[in-house]
Amino acid sequence: MNKIPVRSIERSVCPHDCPSTCALDVEIIDENTIGRVRGAKDDPYTAGVICEKVARYAERVHHPERLTHPLKRVGEKGEGKWQQVSWDEALDYIVERFQTIEAEHGAEAIWPYFYAGTMGHVMRDGIERLRNAKSYSRQYGTICSMISWAGFVTGTGKLMGVNPEEMAKSDVVVIWGTNPVHTQVNVMTHAMRARKERGAKIVVVDIYNTATMQQADLGLILRPGTDGALACAIMHVLLRDGLADREYMSKFTDFGPEFESHLKDKTPEWAAGITGLNAAQIEEFAALVGQNKKSYFRLGYGFTRQRNGAVAMHSALCIPAMTGAWMEEGGGAFHSNSGTWGLNKTDLEGTNLVDQPTRLLDMCEIGPILTGEPKALKSDVPVKALLIQNTNPVVVAPEQAKVKQGFAREDLFTVVHEQFMTETAQMADYVLPATMFLEHSDYYTRGGHTRILLGPKLIKAPGEAKSNHWLFAQLAKRLAVSSSIFEMSDDELIDHTFKESGFGQLEEFEQTRFVDRENKSDIAHYRQGFAWPDGKFRFAPNWEETRKTKGVEWVCDPSIMPKFADHWDVNEPTDAEHPFRLATSPARAFLNSSFNETPGSQKREGAPKALIHPIDAAKQNIADGDQIQLGNKRGQVILSAAIFDGIQSGVVIVEGLHKNKSHADNNGINTLVGSDPVPPFGGAAFHDCAVWVKPL
């Protein structure tokens, strides 16, 4: 896999944090250069379609501002003064500082911090091997999927659902709480096939008129945080009108008189008062899914990034369990297939190297942790060193004022391994140049589908850029860590992991480039029973039993969790001082903070802006394009107003994570978002924020 082809079209995989994990056909011009990037037509899920940002990937690979040499800070933190140094000089000093900090404060004073800038397991998760070998502080990975995972698994017992390709066989496709035109374009490929080939109806449930909703037959724009109320009202109508499949529920669910009684007063009129929809819209939606068993519920992450998000996910998931849609080809529900991979990553992550458990620090609380808040730190040992890969917390993490304050500490030693001089890298003591996905080998899993895909090295890295795996090995060698896994090449570690997982040898998959982990239809549809011991879907979730399936931590008193699917009114409340609800939704041309450095994406997105309803704008004397401020107790942000009637009054939408410096005050939108852990097991409420709005 290491031989670099020239003048050819080669298969690769999109490495970014998207459920599609698209199979790519990449034009290789020479050993240093790529041309066009296209979606692989022979991959049944990608089906030749990729998003515009990845189609322009040559912009990113060959960007003139890519980091190509190790850099040492020579000015004040954040001043931007750097000196180029050799890899040996950088690594020797980094190890010396780590050893000094460990000697003075203990190993837990060092915190390797990472996330999903690449979804390749070798490059993303190998940092855990170094952490475990050295007993550094652990990371509680809550920032993306913890909330949604909990809500789905508490119903089904497993993070698994119906093959997304089955959307093409549906009569109704429900896209709830996600905007796939921006975030996962392949969902639309299969939904549109259902419309074209079967006359299927597409329903979109969201908090504003997204690019996805603009293609829907029925679009429901509700108030943020009210999805549970809508779901309960749908189930009320299904029971009231005889559209619930009582035979299915009797066999496959825990449905009983108490839950039916719970739904008695959850009428469309009740839900209309909470959601801002009208009762007729709710009735129409309920009739549509009740009369068409081939209804496929594609449940996204967006509506779960709220303090009641886990309950909202579970509530929406209850609808196909009430109609019996799971039994039908083209029916049922899907959020992620992450529970189906069956990978043995013991050696890759070094879990067998752990001597004793160390403290588990919540990555969403990096601001409170770095500013020394005892509850977040969980001990009296401060974090004195960070090793950061695959993430940009100075833009991405919530409660930005605290994050910036923490990174500015003179006693904090920070190492960032990156592709560009991000705002996090600007606060580092050492910045190390990293490879991109075409410049190393890795394998990738598909949360949004069922295949494990191989991505070989196809071009040389620019300058002295090195892979994550190479860096782990070099640090381990200097830190006297003894493990043969650190000595393996990228390909050898892939091969080893596949063998340990029972997939066979790597060479067997070098032609197909994938391992298919698709379940048989009866299993994916839970036709033999759901994944709980009694085989029943749970309308009454057992949150403690859900917690045990993944070994995660409670962040709240378990007794506060609702007994049934419900509208749980625990979101950040608006008040006279903060009358608006803010949601920070994904942009089409950015992926978190990735791509905000490429010209094509910058042109598409323009300057940061806030979508605000005309009624609200008029009350505030705000005109389209005006500079405005959004603020709350956590800080304030400057951006421009975009008058938009595709939201409910009292709601503000800000799309995308622009660079902090793109805002007039250098404060990004996550300045306003809280870092408090979301029930039941943690996560950040990025779409649940009360703010004031005023002209600048």
Side-chain angles (χ1 to χ4, degrees):
M1 289 176 71
N2 287 325
K3 185 178 180 182
I4 296 176
V6 177
R7 292 287 175 184
S8 60
I9 304 297
E10 299 295 328
R11 180 58 52 88
S12 189
V13 189
C14 177
H16 286 280
D17 190 7
C18 164
S20 287
T21 316
C22 287
L24 305 177
D25 285 333
V26 183
E27 180 185 13
I28 306 298
I29 296 174
D30 58 42
E31 63 182 9
N32 301 304
T33 314
I34 69 166
R36 291 287 301 275
V37 178
R38 298 177 175 86
K41 292 182 179 179
D42 61 350
D43 182 275
Y45 187 66
T46 302
V49 179
I50 58 173
C51 66
E52 62 181 69
K53 48 189 173 284
V54 174
R56 295 192 301 265
Y57 217 92
E59 283 187 347
R60 201 163 190 275
V61 171
H62 304 304
H63 198 293
E65 295 177 9
R66 272 198 70 177
L67 296 169
T68 55
H69 301 281
L71 300 173
K72 172 186 176 181
R73 176 173 66 87
V74 293
E76 298 296 319
K77 280 201 172 186
E79 188 179 0
K81 292 184 178 180
W82 305 96
Q83 176 185 329
Q84 183 177 320
V85 296
S86 69
W87 269 105
D88 282 336
E89 180 182 344
L91 291 170
D92 287 346
Y93 185 79
I94 291 165
V95 167
E96 179 185 334
R97 284 295 303 272
F98 280 10
Q99 289 174 328
T100 299
I101 289 168
E102 182 176 353
E104 293 179 357
H105 302 279
E108 288 188 334
I110 300 169
W111 190 23
Y113 188 93
F114 76 106
Y115 207 60
T118 176
M119 294 295 280
H121 290 219
V122 173
M123 302 303 161
R124 183 190 70 192
D125 298 332
I127 197 171
E128 297 284 24
R129 189 165 64 256
L130 183 66
R131 183 200 313 277
N132 288 328
K134 290 297 298 176
S135 297
Y136 296 150
S137 284
R138 291 178 293 153
Q139 175 178 292
Y140 194 35
T142 57
I143 203 164
C144 178
S145 58
M146 186 67 77
I147 311 169
S148 59
W149 159 83
F152 195 94
V153 170
T154 207
T156 62
K158 188 172 183 179
L159 195 53
M160 176 187 77
V162 178
N163 187 331
E165 292 170 32
E166 281 196 34
M167 277 184 280
K169 301 175 182 179
S170 303
D171 293 329
V172 177
V173 178
V174 179
I175 300 172
W176 194 320
T178 182
N179 182 12
V181 170
H182 281 197
T183 62
Q184 194 192 350
V185 67
N186 311 86
V187 168
M188 301 309 295
T189 300
H190 302 289
M192 290 303 180
R193 273 192 60 199
R195 171 185 279 170
K196 182 178 179 180
E197 296 174 8
R198 301 179 57 83
K201 300 296 185 184
I202 296 176
V203 180
V204 175
V205 181
D206 215 316
I207 58 174
Y208 69 118
N209 189 12
T210 65
T212 301
M213 189 175 289
Q214 289 162 20
Q215 301 186 46
D217 298 287
L218 175 62
L220 302 177
I221 301 173
L222 67 167
R223 293 188 186 118
T226 64
D227 303 81
L230 173 60
C232 286
I234 298 299
M235 289 187 282
H236 171 95
V237 174
L238 294 174
L239 291 167
R240 183 198 70 193
D241 293 353
L243 297 173
D245 189 333
R246 291 182 179 271
E247 182 179 353
Y248 175 86
M249 288 195 291
S250 175
K251 184 176 181 181
F252 288 100
T253 80
D254 65 353
F255 182 81
E258 190 178 0
F259 182 53
E260 186 161 9
S261 176
H262 167 74
L263 294 173
K264 277 284 188 183
D265 61 352
K266 304 295 191 290
T267 65
E269 291 73 20
W270 165 83
I274 296 170
T275 63
L277 300 170
N278 61 59
Q281 290 175 297
I282 298 170
E283 296 273 5
E284 182 182 2
F285 182 21
L288 197 60
V289 297
Q291 294 167 8
N292 293 277
K293 275 204 171 183
K294 287 180 179 286
S295 292
Y296 188 106
F297 284 72
R298 182 59 175 90
L299 304 174
Y301 292 94
F303 77 117
T304 71
R305 289 178 176 148
Q306 307 182 66
R307 288 167 179 81
N308 66 6
V311 172
M313 169 64 82
H314 172 251
S315 299
L317 181 64
C318 286
I319 298 172
M322 184 166 282
T323 65
W326 285 101
M327 296 299 288
E328 303 293 325
E329 185 179 35
F334 183 82
H335 173 62
S336 171
N337 263 331
S338 298
T340 67
W341 298 331
L343 285 158
N344 183 342
K345 294 166 61 176
T346 300
D347 289 330
L348 192 156
E349 295 183 344
T351 53
N352 53 351
L353 302 176
V354 177
D355 287 333
Q356 57 185 7
T358 57
R359 65 178 173 183
L360 185 63
L361 300 178
D362 189 335
M363 65 180 302
C364 287
E365 294 188 280
I366 186 172
I369 287 166
L370 294 183
T371 53
E373 295 186 15
K375 183 179 178 182
L377 271 172
K378 298 185 177 180
S379 79
D380 59 359
V381 178
V383 170
K384 303 289 284 188
L386 290 168
L387 172 60
I388 297 176
Q389 290 183 327
N390 311 331
T391 188
N392 183 15
V394 174
V395 174
V396 173
E399 216 154 345
Q400 283 283 295
K402 291 182 180 179
V403 176
K404 292 177 181 178
Q405 180 185 344
F407 270 89
R409 282 171 37 202
E410 282 299 328
D411 67 327
L412 177 69
F413 180 64
T414 303
V415 180
V416 175
H417 189 203
E418 251 295 358
Q419 298 161 351
F420 293 93
M421 187 60 75
T422 64
E423 278 132 315
T424 302
Q426 289 166 11
M427 299 302 294
D429 296 282
Y430 277 83
V431 178
L432 308 176
T435 51
M436 290 189 181
F437 74 107
L438 298 171
E439 299 156 4
H440 55 245
S441 296
D442 212 332
Y443 74 89
Y444 304 82
T445 48
R446 258 180 171 158
H449 203 251
T450 59
R451 287 183 171 182
I452 299 172
L453 303 177
L454 298 176
K457 179 177 179 178
L458 295 177
I459 59 173
K460 291 182 177 179
E464 297 181 273
K466 301 293 185 182
S467 74
N468 292 3
H469 180 59
W470 181 91
L471 179 58
F472 307 147
Q474 294 299 312
L475 290 173
K477 180 180 178 181
R478 286 168 168 81
L479 289 164
V481 172
S482 179
S483 171
S484 61
I485 303 299
F486 286 106
E487 299 171 9
M488 290 183 178
S489 68
D490 304 351
D491 290 335
E492 288 169 341
L493 187 47
I494 296 169
D495 187 41
H496 178 80
T497 304
F498 279 19
K499 287 176 183 176
E500 292 295 299
S501 304
F503 297 166
Q505 297 185 356
L506 176 61
E507 61 187 25
E508 298 175 30
F509 306 105
E510 287 187 343
Q511 297 303 314
T512 60
R513 303 289 193 215
F514 69 87
V515 180
D516 204 330
R517 301 295 295 167
E518 182 176 5
N519 287 301
K520 292 181 180 179
S521 181
D522 280 356
I523 295 174
H525 284 262
Y526 298 99
R527 293 187 184 116
Q528 298 168 354
F530 288 87
W532 293 117
D534 61 2
K536 303 280 190 177
F537 178 91
R538 293 197 168 143
F539 291 111
N542 185 324
W543 295 104
E544 171 60 15
E545 196 171 22
T546 303
R547 184 193 69 79
K548 290 178 180 177
T549 65
K550 202 171 182 179
V552 294
E553 296 188 333
W554 280 103
V555 300
C556 67
D557 179 349
S559 67
I560 71 169
M561 299 298 294
K563 184 175 182 179
F564 293 115
D566 208 345
H567 169 61
W568 194 28
D569 189 13
V570 294
N571 283 11
E572 187 163 279
T574 56
D575 55 30
E577 187 178 355
H578 307 91
F580 292 91
R581 289 208 164 279
L582 167 68
T584 58
S585 302
R588 185 166 188 165
F590 297 159
L591 202 167
N592 298 321
S593 66
S594 295
F595 297 97
N596 70 12
E597 72 285 322
T598 56
S601 292
Q602 289 173 342
K603 182 178 179 180
R604 155 73 83 160
E605 296 302 332
K609 56 184 176 292
L611 307 181
I612 183 169
H613 195 277
I615 293 174
D616 298 325
K619 289 179 180 177
Q620 299 286 326
N621 196 28
I622 293 171
D624 195 62
D626 281 358
Q627 290 285 287
I628 61 173
Q629 281 186 320
L630 276 59
N632 58 20
K633 62 184 179 182
R634 304 178 187 102
Q636 57 190 39
V637 177
I638 297 174
L639 25 59
S640 61
I643 310 303
F644 180 66
D645 64 1
I647 49 178
Q648 292 200 24
S649 177
V651 177
V652 177
I653 305 291
V654 176
E655 291 186 333
L657 290 179
H658 293 257
K659 295 179 180 180
N660 291 337
K661 67 182 182 181
S662 297
H663 296 264
D665 54 1
N666 292 313
N667 291 330
I669 195 62
N670 284 338
T671 299
L672 306 177
V673 175
S675 63
D676 49 303
V678 168
F681 312 127
F686 285 107
H687 300 168
D688 173 9
C689 186
V691 298
W692 48 257
V693 178
K694 64 183 181 182
L696 184 62

